[in-house]
């Protein structure tokens, strides 16, 4: 259903441009930026508001989208509208993806300067306060990432679980040589079990992912799921879902993840 909506949407845009021979302008958000002391650079982001934001006095949940280019923002807009949920969407584009998303470097995935900790501090100490001061947020925050930024979603959940209420990681997880690092992080995080009370987490992977041919990431997520169930129990809602008919970043996983987050 979502795929059909996206196809129709793009066809309508292309048709408008071809048939009427005029430029088509479609506003999906407002580009903003803030200077980051944490990252020592100016970071851009795009904010998309619910259609009734200006006419209502309501406050809204906020969805933070990593790898947040225009395409990712458009996907988030379509998914939220298809599910009938009104959210403020903040799309965060990359400047140095490896640096910002990776908390470590290993032979499987070497990163010259892994600084995920700084990027997480930027989100928590600079970006979130800016958004919640300027826009009518109700305080509920969801973080969504894919692939490498999906790994960051899981890192964020373990490193600073207080920052977000909900986490969606599509094609998320870690390779075998990253396991010792995440074992230590998990052990430390789960010592404060109360920090996970009421949170919702949706992790998804493909069983035909070309980036995980030996299913290292899948097996790591299976073990992580068992650890969550054993150590945290019913404190949080957690689902690990796999897809066989899709490749890297299974197409329905964003829709399924947000739908899971919205379930009562």
């Amino acid at each position: 259903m979502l795929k059909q909506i996206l196809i129709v949407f793009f066809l309508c845009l292309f048709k408008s441009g071809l048939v009427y021979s005029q430029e088509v302008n479609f506003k999906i958000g407002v580009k903003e930026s803030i200077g980051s002391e944490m990252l020592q650079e100016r970071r851009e982001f795009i904010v998309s508001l619910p259609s009734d934001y200006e006419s209502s006095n309501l406050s809204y949940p906020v969805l933070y989208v990593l790898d947040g280019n225009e395409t990712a923002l458009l996907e988030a807009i379509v998914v939220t509208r298809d599910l009938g949920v009104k959210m403020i969407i903040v799309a965060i584009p990359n400047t140095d993806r490896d640096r910002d998303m990776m908390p470590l470097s290993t032979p499987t995935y070497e990163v010259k300067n892994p600084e995920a900790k700084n990027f997480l501090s930027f989100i928590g100490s600079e970006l979130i306060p800016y958004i919640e001061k300027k826009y009518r947020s109700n305080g509920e925050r969801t973080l969504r990432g894919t692939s490498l930024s999906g790994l960051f979603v899981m890192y964020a959940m373990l490193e600073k679980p207080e920052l977000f209420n909900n986490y969606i990681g599509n094609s998320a997880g870690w390779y075998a040589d990253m396991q010792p690092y995440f074992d230590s992080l998990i052990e430390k995080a789960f010592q404060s079990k109360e920090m996970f009370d009421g949170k919702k987490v949706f992790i998804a992977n493909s069983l035909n992912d070309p980036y995980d041919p030996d299913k290292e990431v899948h097996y790591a997520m299976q073990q992580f799921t068992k650890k969550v169930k054993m150590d945290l129990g019913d404190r949080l809602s957690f689902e690990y879902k796999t897809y066989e008919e899709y490749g890297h970043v299974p197409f329905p996983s964003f829709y399924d993840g947000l739908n899971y987050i919205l379930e009562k």
Side-chain angles (χ1 to χ4, degrees), residues 78-95:
V78 172
V79 168
T80 53
R81 291 184 180 179
D82 194 37
L83 287 169
V85 58
K86 295 178 180 179
M87 307 180 81
I88 298 169
I89 303 172
V90 181
I92 313 170
N94 296 314
T95 57

Side-chain angles (χ1 to χ4, degrees), residues 2-16:
L2 175 58
K3 190 172 185 179
Q4 293 173 338
I5 293 173
L6 282 170
I7 292 172
V8 171
F9 181 82
F10 283 117
L11 284 176
C12 289
L13 290 182
F14 292 140
K15 183 177 180 181
S16 297

Side-chain angles (χ1 to χ4, degrees), residues 23-222:
E23 182 179 355
V24 176
N25 294 310
F26 180 73
K27 183 177 179 180
I28 60 173
V30 177
K31 185 175 289 187
E32 301 191 43
S33 68
I34 57 175
S36 171
E37 293 184 6
M38 297 291 180
L39 300 176
Q40 291 298 296
E41 63 184 11
R42 192 156 196 89
R43 291 302 295 252
E44 293 186 344
F45 50 94
I46 310 171
V47 180
S48 178
L49 300 174
S51 58
D52 66 345
Y53 184 88
E54 297 298 336
S55 61
S56 78
N57 292 316
L58 299 175
S59 297
Y60 302 86
V62 183
L63 171 63
Y64 292 85
V65 178
L66 302 174
D67 292 332
N69 57 23
E70 286 83 357
T71 301
L73 175 58
L74 182 58
E75 180 189 16
I77 292 171
V78 172
V79 168
T80 53
R81 291 184 180 179
D82 194 37
L83 287 169
V85 58
K86 295 178 180 179
M87 307 180 81
I88 298 169
I89 303 172
V90 181
I92 313 170
N94 296 314
T95 57
D96 187 333
R97 189 173 189 248
D98 284 354
R99 178 200 68 185
D100 289 345
M101 301 303 160
M102 285 295 290
L104 77 162
S105 177
T106 67
T108 299
Y109 200 96
E110 295 185 4
V111 178
K112 184 178 179 180
N113 53 338
E115 296 182 5
K117 187 171 185 177
N118 286 346
F119 185 61
L120 186 59
S121 293
F122 156 71
I123 293 174
S125 300
E126 297 175 328
L127 182 57
I128 288 176
Y130 175 88
I131 295 296
E132 296 192 350
K133 181 179 180 181
K134 184 172 182 179
Y135 298 100
R136 297 195 307 273
S137 163
N138 66 5
E140 182 175 353
R141 310 167 191 149
T142 299
L143 181 66
R144 189 258 177 157
T146 63
S147 191
L148 194 60
S149 66
L151 181 149
F152 180 86
V153 167
M154 304 197 67
Y155 166 76
M157 180 187 73
L158 296 167
E159 180 68 21
K160 291 188 177 181
E162 69 275 12
L163 281 186
F164 294 92
N165 307 87
N166 313 305
Y167 299 85
I168 302 173
N170 304 139
S171 285
W174 49 81
Y175 292 107
D177 62 355
M178 303 175 185
Q179 192 64 53
Y181 173 87
F182 278 97
D183 280 342
S184 177
L185 193 61
I186 292 165
E187 192 67 29
K188 180 181 178 182
F190 287 5
Q191 289 178 7
S192 301
K193 294 179 173 58
E194 69 282 356
M195 297 296 293
F196 297 90
D197 288 352
K199 298 188 182 299
K200 290 189 174 183
V201 182
F202 180 91
I203 306 299
N205 278 307
S206 167
L207 298 181
N208 292 301
D209 192 333
Y211 292 96
D212 190 26
D214 298 323
K215 294 185 171 53
E216 290 181 32
V217 175
H218 169 57
Y219 294 144
M221 291 304 94
Q222 284 184 316

